[in-house]
Amino acid sequence: AQKVTQAQTEISVVEKEDVTLDCVYETRDTTYYLFWYKQPPSGELVFLIRRNSFDEQNEISGRYSWNFQKSTSSFNFTITASQVVDSAVYFCALSFPDTGRRALTFGSGTRLQVQP
Amino acid sequence: EPEVTQTPSHQVTQMGQEVILRCVPISNHLYFYWYRQILGQKVEFLVSFYNNEISEKSEIFDDQFSVERPDGSNFTLKIRSTKLEDSAMYFCASESGGAGTDTQYFGPGTRLTVL
């Protein structure tokens, strides 16, 4: 069975600090997709990134970067120079669309509070 | 930019009543989903729908739940006889289903409160 673990329940940082959100996943499948979603205080779920299991290249998008390491089954998310608007709950998720299992399995989320 | 919409934003109902939550997925998307999030908890998958039938469902999606695509645009979740524990945020999502585009886009959610 698949599982996504986000061990950090809550992180509090001061604006402009860098912060890394951890995500560890478990699966026996060799083909899978990993995702990060952001849930701001308003409650919606906002897609941030998708990564497939064959692509271990790290990705950077502005202040956001993602580090995918199959060897440790981790897909960590770093926010550089955090801002108050980054305050949200961040969810990591896993799916297996290539084998017809498109349902997302979410981690329990990490609440990030960025203090001014 | 196309987006998933959901109505109502908040629904209050009495235990035992039927509720229907409505969603309009992104046009031309082929896969549709319902998830729920009990307050303060993680997002849980309920059901997926493709080609006018359920393609996956979770253990949560029991006989009290049903889904329907009554026309070319709406996608609904019906809860036949609501229970207190059905109180949650319900999210609809859609996915295009094309090659290399396996990303689910979520609506803003419907907060269901069962009294």
Side-chain angles (χ1 to χ4, degrees):
Chain A
Q2 60 272 13
K3 186 179 177 182
V4 177
T5 301
Q6 296 179 255
Q8 302 152 308
T9 306
E10 187 161 345
I11 301 175
S12 183
V13 299
V14 176
E15 211 171 15
K16 297 184 184 175
E17 281 186 32
D18 298 347
V19 58
T20 295
L21 310 181
D22 297 333
C23 172
V24 173
Y25 61 93
E26 294 176 31
T27 179
R28 293 183 178 178
D29 288 63
T30 56
T31 305
Y32 49 88
Y33 283 76
L34 293 160
F35 302 80
W36 277 94
Y37 284 87
K38 174 182 180 179
Q39 187 173 43
S42 48
E44 71 272 25
L45 286 164
V46 179
F47 166 74
L48 295 178
I49 190 171
R50 180 187 80 239
R51 171 69 70 220
N52 76 50
S53 52
F54 295 109
D55 183 2
E56 286 194 74
Q57 280 193 348
N58 292 328
E59 180 153 340
I60 298 174
S61 176
R63 296 184 296 107
Y64 295 171
S65 62
W66 290 269
N67 180 258
F68 174 33
Q69 292 197 338
K70 284 180 76 169
S71 60
T72 55
S73 297
S74 65
F75 186 43
N76 297 335
F77 173 30
T78 297
I79 302 174
T80 304
S82 58
Q83 299 176 1
V84 173
V85 293
D86 296 326
S87 296
V89 180
Y90 292 85
F91 290 98
C92 183
L94 174 65
S95 75
F96 308 88
D98 290 0
T99 53
R101 292 170 292 145
R102 293 176 175 267
L104 290 168
T105 297
F106 283 86
S108 54
T110 296
R111 180 177 300 277
L112 174 65
Q113 303 237 22
V114 182
Q115 310 288 347
Chain B
E1 185 175 321
E3 57 184 21
V4 178
T5 60
Q6 291 184 242
T7 55
S9 57
H10 191 189
Q11 173 100 41
V12 181
T13 190
Q14 295 290 325
M15 190 169 56
Q17 294 296 304
E18 174 183 287
V19 295
I20 297 176
L21 310 183
R22 291 183 165 80
C23 168
V24 179
I26 294 172
S27 179
N28 296 325
H29 277 195
L30 301 178
Y31 291 85
F32 315 114
Y33 305 84
W34 284 102
Y35 291 81
R36 80 171 185 192
Q37 184 182 30
I38 295 171
L39 186 63
Q41 298 187 20
K42 68 178 177 182
V43 181
E44 301 175 291
F45 168 73
L46 293 178
V47 65
S48 62
F49 196 82
Y50 170 72
N51 201 23
N52 288 318
E53 61 183 25
I54 291 173
S55 49
E56 288 179 89
K57 61 180 181 179
S58 72
E59 293 176 352
I60 302 169
F61 193 85
D62 61 21
D63 292 343
Q64 293 293 325
F65 293 91
S66 62
V67 290
E68 191 177 35
R69 188 154 163 81
D71 53 44
S73 59
N74 290 283
F75 179 51
T76 62
L77 174 69
K78 182 193 291 187
I79 308 175
R80 260 179 272 285
S81 178
T82 50
K83 305 171 191 163
L84 294 176
E85 54 264 38
D86 293 328
S87 293
M89 182 74 92
Y90 288 81
F91 290 103
C92 174
S94 72
E95 178 185 333
S96 68
T101 58
D102 304 289
T103 297
Q104 295 177 30
Y105 294 93
F106 286 78
T110 293
R111 180 167 299 285
L112 176 65
T113 301
V114 182
L115 302 177

